[in-house]
Amino acid sequence: MLTDDIILNKINQYVDALPFDRKPNSLYEPIRYVLSIGGKRIRPTLALLAYNLFKDNPESILAPACGLETYHNYTLLHDDLMDNAELRRGKPTVHKRWDANTAILSGDSMLVLAYQQMAQCDETKLKPVMELFTETALEIGEGQQYDMDFEHRNDVTEAEYIEMIRLKTSVLLACAMKMGAILANAPQEDADLLYKFGEQIGLAFQLQDDFLDVYGDSKVFGKAIGGDIVCNKKTYMLINAFNKANDKQRAELKHWVEQEQCNPQEKIAAITQLYNDMGIDKMAEQKIEHYFDCGKQLLDKVNVPAERKANLINYALKMMNRKY
């Protein structure tokens, strides 16, 4: 059984050694750049940990697992372009370092490379792996479109938001888990349980991201606090604030959301205070706990000895910055 630290080291070595020796260099250099600036490598790590529940040689699936990482970074590259973001992991985004056309074309090539890496799996598992990955990729695009649509709506429900983050974030974690299980020749029932586990953990993970954007420590969180508030992003917090607000609170929320010019720190402080007054922070924490516990219950049902699940449980706790 490999720990997540050893697995992460193997993934980084594999990604760093990807050749990208095709031409022209101007197409592949941005891809090398995107993959070189790090990240937590959560998706390939989950794939290898899922495989390791059933078999002891997880490094044998590094190629398809890292296909998930290439795909994930492709989505970030295009997200950054759509959001006109300047930085990713503290480094200039591709469209800022190069230009928008380069970001589009290099991103397109990353998607193709992800499929190429995914295809480097056991031939007998190629069809189910490709079907799973393709369905997941379509769902992620759907989630991104919902997210964009929500920017123009003020009536987004909690249920709609949860479905959006399930599509945009959770399904790729779920895909990683199920893909690892499929490649390890796991029983169908266990592969399906691991998919659902990944889905629930993904929901908890994204809701925690929403929560930390308001209540996190910027040094720990890795980015400025309150970014979602400043740009009126429809998060679990804001949606529920509008749903729970009394008339006075709703008027104040609308005042801040509709203001085109304002002091960002004032806006963050005012909306955070509203969240506190309405108990939105406690609501979010309970929801995070709910999805994490649902995930844990699904993992408990996977038919492998408890000691083989220890590394995966520890990693899930680490993802959530949690203690036992």
Side-chain angles (χ1 to χ4, degrees):
M1 298 290 292
L2 298 184
T3 64
D4 59 276
D5 290 336
I6 293 170
I7 282 173
L8 177 60
N9 192 41
K10 287 180 180 291
I11 290 165
N12 282 330
Q13 287 175 357
Y14 186 90
V15 171
D16 290 345
L18 287 169
F20 299 128
D21 49 8
R22 297 174 66 95
K23 297 287 187 283
N25 191 54
S26 51
L27 176 65
Y28 292 98
E29 182 56 32
I31 299 173
R32 271 192 293 271
Y33 170 74
V34 167
L35 290 171
S36 74
I37 58 176
K40 301 184 189 79
R41 314 290 195 211
I42 288 169
R43 289 127 196 104
T45 299
L46 286 174
L48 267 66
L49 285 169
Y51 181 98
N52 211 185
L53 290 173
F54 306 95
K55 290 193 172 179
D56 289 330
N57 57 334
E59 56 269 38
S60 67
I61 66 159
L62 274 167
C66 289
L68 292 172
E69 185 67 10
T70 301
Y71 173 81
H72 173 60
N73 279 275
Y74 140 75
T75 66
L76 297 181
L77 194 162
H78 278 184
D79 281 0
D80 287 341
L81 177 60
M82 284 186 269
D83 295 341
N84 199 26
E86 299 205 356
L87 296 174
R88 166 70 62 182
R89 298 173 186 138
K91 303 272 188 171
T93 49
V94 168
H95 66 276
K96 289 293 179 186
R97 179 161 172 172
W98 284 275
D99 54 48
N101 287 346
T102 299
I104 292 166
L105 196 57
S106 291
D108 290 347
S109 298
M110 282 183 87
L111 176 58
V112 178
L113 288 166
Y115 269 94
Q116 185 184 58
Q117 290 161 356
M118 198 65 60
Q120 293 174 49
C121 69
D122 180 342
E123 281 184 21
T124 63
K125 302 293 188 297
L126 186 61
K127 188 171 187 289
V129 164
M130 284 304 198
E131 285 177 349
L132 172 65
F133 180 51
T134 301
E135 176 64 19
T136 301
L138 287 170
E139 288 181 325
I140 290 167
E142 291 158 5
Q144 176 68 8
Q145 185 62 53
Y146 280 128
D147 196 17
M148 289 160 56
D149 291 347
F150 290 174
E151 290 175 17
H152 309 292
R153 286 179 51 196
N154 288 318
D155 60 346
V156 179
T157 65
E158 181 183 320
E160 285 180 304
Y161 179 73
I162 295 296
E163 176 62 4
M164 183 273 285
I165 63 172
R166 185 188 74 82
L167 291 167
K168 189 176 173 182
T169 300
S170 291
V171 295
L172 193 54
L173 303 188
C175 170
M177 296 298 305
K178 187 170 183 177
M179 192 184 83
I182 290 169
L183 292 171
N185 215 22
Q188 181 72 45
E189 186 180 350
D190 286 341
D192 289 340
L193 283 167
L194 285 168
Y195 182 92
K196 291 174 185 167
F197 164 76
E199 225 174 19
Q200 297 297 306
I201 293 298
L203 291 171
F205 185 65
Q206 182 57 52
L207 289 177
Q208 179 166 269
D209 211 52
D210 288 1
F211 179 84
L212 290 176
D213 188 81
V214 181
Y215 293 104
D217 177 340
S218 62
K219 295 188 191 72
V220 178
F221 192 40
K223 55 185 176 183
I225 298 302
D228 289 348
I229 290 174
V230 172
C231 64
N232 297 327
K233 190 164 177 57
K234 302 295 192 311
T235 63
Y236 180 86
M237 321 285 285
L238 185 61
I239 288 164
N240 276 295
F242 270 111
N243 291 341
K244 281 196 74 173
N246 59 34
D247 290 345
K248 182 169 178 283
Q249 290 166 332
R250 187 171 289 106
E252 190 177 348
L253 270 174
K254 283 188 71 174
H255 161 76
W256 285 109
V257 167
E258 290 171 3
Q259 266 201 353
E260 291 190 11
Q261 297 292 327
C262 67
N263 179 309
Q265 292 311 313
E266 273 185 41
K267 180 174 181 175
I268 292 166
I271 290 186
T272 302
Q273 188 59 55
L274 285 166
Y275 289 169
N276 294 344
D277 293 344
M278 290 183 235
I280 301 297
D281 52 339
K282 300 290 185 289
M283 270 183 77
E285 287 177 317
Q286 286 166 8
K287 203 73 169 176
I288 292 163
E289 195 76 31
H290 165 74
Y291 285 123
F292 191 86
D293 288 346
C294 286
K296 178 75 167 56
Q297 287 167 27
L298 288 159
L299 184 59
D300 287 344
K301 293 177 184 174
V302 174
N303 193 24
V304 297
E307 60 269 19
R308 290 199 77 93
K309 299 177 190 176
N311 283 341
L312 180 55
I313 291 168
N314 287 338
Y315 186 69
L317 289 163
K318 197 184 285 189
M319 273 174 65
M320 303 297 296
N321 300 313
R322 296 157 68 107
K323 304 284 186 278
Y324 277 107

